Amino acid sequence: MRKSGFHILRVGIAITFLWIGVLILKDPAGWSGYIQPWAANLIPVPLIEVMIVTAFFDIAVGVLLLIDMFTWIASLAALFHIATVLIVSGINQVTIRDVGLFAASLALFADTVPSNLIPKFLKPKVS
């Protein structure tokens, strides 16, 4: 990825995660409404507490991406988080945002993952 494109993508995702984190902190109960009932029943703590933790997680990911520190770890965390969100929230009015964030996080991860880790995941199995 060209350097300017990398920074635009990184900062754009960072701002999105920071903004969502702040919005969740302002209304955790409202955001907990996006969790499907089947998923809510699996969570052993109150949904508002889960949403507050999620908000701080989003803010942490956003900060790491914004300051360009541990970018591959932050983008990997974003990937797993957004995948979880897509699974537990179902298809609704924010799904397209999550699909875009997933794709952007995947692109950022692919561009920043240390090259010495790639062979560990792509190593062919020996019979």
Side-chain angles (χ1 to χ4, degrees), residues 21-87:
V22 169
L23 290 175
I24 293 171
L25 282 177
K26 289 172 80 173
D27 184 18
W31 282 83
S32 68
Y34 286 112
I35 299 175
Q36 293 292 310
W38 68 265
N41 291 334
L42 297 174
I43 300 171
V45 295
L47 286 180
I48 291 177
E49 290 178 21
V50 171
M51 295 313 299
I52 291 170
V53 169
T54 300
F56 284 113
F57 176 85
D58 286 347
I59 291 168
V61 167
V63 167
L64 288 174
L65 292 173
L66 192 61
I67 64 174
D68 200 10
M69 179 179 268
F70 305 113
T71 304
W72 77 273
I73 295 171
S75 59
L76 182 61
L79 274 171
F80 283 115
H81 176 58
I82 294 299
T84 302
V85 168
L86 285 166
I87 291 167

